[in-house]
Amino acid sequence: MLKNGGLLTDFLSDTLPERNNFIKRNRIIAGLADATLVVESGIKGGALITADIANSYNRDVFAVPGRPEDQWSAGCNSLIKSNKAAMAECADDIEYFLDWKPEKSKPPVQKSLFSDLTETEQLIYELLSRENELTIDTICRTMDLPVYKLSAILLQMEFKGIIKCYPGNLYRTA
């Protein structure tokens, strides 16, 4: 999907775009996205349903505040007021909250420093070096390790400064 795009749906291709199907679609979107941003919403609306779904998935939710008397800002203001969403006034706010930083050129890593890696850590490091970035699920399948063991190993590798975890549970070499 990253290279060529893709289509993900619960419905057959001849299904009409009916109103109740948007909510079903939005649960998929909320699950795939690192964060949900609500720009404008009345006090009741599909965007608020999507925000609630994203919150239930432990995803970050942001809302753009609006004028208190504006009916189309009531939903966003309510999300912010009830602490269901962080206030986002600009893209920099989201970048800050999600700890997204522009890619900088990485200094070369001296591999001999990693002589204290276990065999499993070395295999994970080589896998991440080869693939650039992977989710914890992909690493689990590739390494044939249960998630509870892999989580502990990845955390130790983060403490050693060898790998980093990014939004969406993506792991990359440091």
Side-chain angles (χ1 to χ4, degrees):
M1 283 182 64
L2 291 174
K3 291 179 184 173
N4 299 317
L7 175 65
L8 182 64
T9 181
D10 281 347
F11 306 103
L12 299 173
S13 59
D14 61 343
T15 302
L16 296 174
E18 296 173 7
R19 196 177 176 135
N20 60 334
N21 291 345
F22 292 120
I23 296 169
K24 293 175 186 175
R25 177 210 57 202
N26 288 357
R27 75 175 165 72
I28 297 171
I29 300 302
L32 289 173
D34 291 337
T36 298
L37 172 64
V38 181
V39 176
E40 189 175 82
S41 176
I43 199 67
K44 289 186 177 183
L48 298 183
I49 294 169
T50 304
D52 283 339
I53 293 168
N55 272 319
S56 76
Y57 293 162
N58 292 319
R59 297 290 198 265
D60 290 306
V61 177
F62 300 95
V64 176
R67 293 185 315 276
E69 68 278 358
D70 184 357
Q71 70 171 344
W72 299 114
S73 296
C76 292
N77 293 341
S78 175
L79 285 172
I80 295 166
K81 186 176 180 180
S82 63
N83 289 322
K84 291 183 178 180
M87 182 171 66
E89 295 177 303
C90 63
D92 290 341
D93 292 342
I94 296 170
E95 191 175 276
Y96 172 77
F97 277 109
L98 295 178
D99 198 25
W100 288 346
K101 296 180 178 113
E103 290 289 326
K104 296 179 182 174
S105 61
K106 296 178 187 177
V109 177
Q110 188 175 5
K111 293 185 181 186
S112 63
L113 293 177
F114 303 139
S115 60
D116 62 334
L117 293 181
T118 66
E119 184 180 333
T120 305
E121 288 174 337
Q122 186 65 40
L123 290 171
I124 292 169
Y125 179 79
E126 290 169 5
L127 177 65
L128 288 172
S129 295
R130 204 172 41 246
E131 298 296 329
N132 209 16
E133 70 179 19
L134 293 171
T135 64
I136 191 169
D137 295 331
T138 305
I139 299 169
C140 274
R141 284 190 303 271
T142 305
M143 299 296 298
D144 195 27
L145 285 171
V147 73
Y148 72 91
K149 283 186 180 178
L150 181 61
S151 294
I153 294 169
L154 292 173
L155 184 60
Q156 285 299 317
M157 292 177 74
E158 279 188 85
F159 288 154
K160 291 177 183 178
I162 299 167
I163 63 170
K164 282 191 170 190
C165 182
Y166 291 90
N169 277 328
L170 283 175
Y171 287 88
R172 298 179 192 150
T173 58

